[in-house]
Amino acid sequence: MRISVIGCGYLGAVHAASMAKLGHDVVAVDVDPVKIERLAAGEAPFFEPGLPEILTEAVESGRIRFTTDMAEVAGARVHFLAVGTPQGPTGAADLTYVDAAVAALTPHLGAGEFVIGKSTVPVGTAARLAAEVEAAVPGASLVWNPEFLREGFAVQDTISPDRLVYGVPAGETGERAVALLDEVYATTLAEGTPRLVVDLPTAELVKVSANAFLATKISFINAMAEIAEVVGADVTALADAIGHDARIGRKFLNAGLGFGGGCLPKDIRAFQARANELGVPDSLAFLADVDAINLRRRDHVVELAQEVLGGAVTGKRIAVLGLAFKPNSDDVRDSPALDIAARLLGHGAAVAAYDPEAVVTARRLHPELEYVESATDALRDADLVLVLTEWNEFRELDPTVAASLVSNPVVIDGRNCLDRDAWTAAGFTYRGMGR
């Protein structure tokens, strides 16, 4: 099928390349000519495992092309809307890019074509945009197909998702939309992927509800970590014990620095803002506590660093291992790791920061930090080691070698990802989260 993808950021670039991988003829559009030039050369503008391979394959096969000219989408049967919805000054989602993309797209739409929304938007947005599309181009329609990408696994989550959700109106338009999306995802559906057909508001709520639940689960176990540290319990063992309950589950019950990135923080704040607009602020009031617990974890690590260094970090050399908000990504948006590194520098520490993939993106936000080229460089002569992103490279560090490099063998395991017994045996004073 000939399809278009509007927006070539993280979501759009992954979706476009994945659609080409599934055999479709894809034209992808973005207003950023530098980004388009890189993508057209088969170069991913951000780190995502698996993306360079399918992107190169798609470009070389001719199944994908990138352009800044919206007119080139004309004739596509499906137009995926994949632009960003950043957090606005009030916490609400900023729909500027969504509205601009729809306005730029409609002159090139034809009757019978579908705009398929994938961006995360406040509930009610799809109905408004659908009315605009239908008024501008009689016979064209807009439906919603939310994404559920995990950074680091985005290609897998697009090609082989754990579910597909179609948000469509009732009646003949909805039936045509379902048939068309079934054709788009024919390979995925043939593998047995569950498909749910819902109304537009439900489709919009699915993504933000899922993110709100995951954020709540993470903040819950971090709240338990605060209790565990006071009473001398081990939150990791606690999570293992309650995680065996099928109603709870072990995933996302890992205490640490809390969540970050471009989705969970902004989505829970935008969800609260939308509830306020809808006149039901109490329904999501608990998310303010979820957010507060999450942000408290950063304060806790800074305070812990000060404690283990005798009350102050001023003049101390601190090795920061990890800058991305999660492993297998170079994304530092709202990253707890990068925020902590910057705070320690502000308190007078000499910070040597390293990340396998996120140094370039971190330097754009915090050029004042000292960035080094390896974990070894960061560890050398350190008074304190902070592990802030759970990359396998850090999990697999030899604590005996690390002990030979540092000047003071103290480690704060901000993600509870190290072998505590091995690091203690190597001579380190080990401090974990809630342990």
Side-chain angles (χ1 to χ4, degrees):
M1 185 186 300
R2 185 163 190 264
I3 69 175
S4 78
V5 177
I6 315 303
C8 293
Y10 182 83
L11 167 60
V14 171
H15 193 72
S18 297
M19 291 299 99
K21 176 68 175 178
L22 292 176
H24 299 298
D25 177 18
V26 181
V27 56
V29 185
D30 197 278
V31 296
D32 184 345
V34 175
K35 185 187 300 179
I36 289 297
E37 184 178 352
R38 293 181 65 182
L39 287 165
E43 180 184 347
F46 49 84
F47 177 75
E48 178 62 36
L51 179 59
E53 292 80 4
I54 66 167
L55 181 59
T56 298
E57 176 188 339
V59 170
E60 291 179 350
S61 70
R63 287 197 303 272
I64 195 168
R65 68 183 187 280
F66 296 92
T67 180
T68 57
D69 185 0
M70 187 69 81
E72 293 196 31
V73 308
R77 294 173 62 193
V78 169
H79 306 271
F80 283 103
L81 188 64
V83 296
T85 53
Q87 181 178 316
T90 65
D94 182 352
L95 297 179
T96 301
Y97 302 115
V98 170
D99 291 335
V102 171
L105 173 62
T106 48
H108 309 289
L109 279 177
E113 296 174 4
F114 277 88
V115 179
I116 313 291
K118 293 203 72 70
S119 305
T120 303
V121 295
V123 61
T125 304
R128 173 176 65 81
L129 294 176
E132 292 176 10
V133 166
E134 291 162 10
V137 186
S141 305
L142 179 142
V143 298
W144 222 259
N145 171 220
E147 55 86 12
F148 305 103
L149 305 188
R150 299 167 296 163
E151 292 197 36
F153 302 92
V155 173
Q156 171 190 326
D157 289 345
T158 304
I159 295 175
S160 300
D162 53 16
R163 79 284 208 193
L164 289 167
V165 175
Y166 303 167
V168 303
E172 187 268 341
T173 297
E175 292 173 0
R176 287 193 298 113
V178 170
L180 196 59
L181 282 168
D182 280 353
E183 189 176 343
V184 171
Y185 295 118
T187 301
T188 302
L189 292 168
E191 295 174 351
T193 300
R195 186 202 70 178
L196 295 87
V197 178
V198 300
D199 53 52
L200 288 175
T202 301
E204 292 169 301
L205 283 172
V206 170
K207 176 63 185 293
V208 290
S209 298
N211 280 352
F213 184 87
L214 295 175
T216 301
K217 195 171 183 181
I218 295 168
S219 283
F220 170 81
I221 200 62
N222 279 325
M224 295 306 99
E226 294 177 350
I227 299 296
E229 289 188 3
V230 172
V231 302
D234 186 338
V235 76
T236 301
L238 172 66
D240 289 340
I242 66 176
H244 279 289
D245 188 326
R247 297 168 300 174
I248 297 173
R250 184 61 177 82
K251 291 183 177 179
F252 280 78
L253 276 182
N254 296 311
L257 309 182
F259 53 82
C263 290
L264 261 62
K266 80 172 181 69
D267 286 354
I268 65 170
R269 293 163 193 161
F271 205 7
Q272 292 176 80
R274 186 57 178 149
N276 290 339
E277 292 170 354
L278 293 171
V280 285
D282 291 346
S283 63
L284 296 180
F286 72 95
L287 287 180
D289 290 327
V290 168
D291 202 6
I293 292 168
N294 188 59
L295 294 175
R296 263 202 321 264
R297 303 308 292 164
R298 307 178 189 193
D299 298 331
H300 177 63
V301 173
V302 173
E303 292 164 0
L304 190 56
Q306 293 169 327
E307 175 191 324
V308 299
L309 290 176
V313 299
T314 305
K316 302 294 186 178
R317 181 173 174 82
I318 298 179
V320 168
L321 301 182
L323 298 165
F325 87 95
K326 65 178 292 187
N328 300 315
S329 173
D330 64 353
D331 193 344
V332 295
R333 290 175 293 175
D334 208 353
S335 168
L338 182 57
D339 184 30
I340 288 167
R343 291 192 196 192
L344 291 170
L345 182 68
H347 282 289
V351 176
Y354 168 70
D355 188 285
E357 295 292 340
V359 166
V360 172
T361 48
R363 184 179 278 119
R364 292 178 193 146
L365 288 181
H366 288 284
E368 71 278 9
L369 289 171
E370 176 192 350
Y371 298 97
V372 296
E373 296 183 357
S374 69
T376 298
D377 291 342
L379 290 168
R380 191 169 288 115
D381 299 324
D383 296 298
L384 172 64
V385 179
L386 295 182
V387 179
L388 302 183
T389 310
E390 62 272 37
W391 287 93
N392 284 337
E393 178 180 341
F394 305 148
R395 293 177 184 271
E396 296 166 2
L397 281 173
D398 185 332
T400 303
V401 173
S404 71
L405 293 169
V406 301
S407 63
N408 183 37
V410 182
V411 62
I412 295 176
D413 183 1
R415 295 296 183 180
N416 289 344
C417 62
L418 304 179
D419 183 333
R420 177 173 57 180
D421 293 340
W423 282 76
T424 301
F428 276 88
T429 298
Y430 174 96
R431 297 294 294 269
M433 300 292 101
R435 306 183 76 188

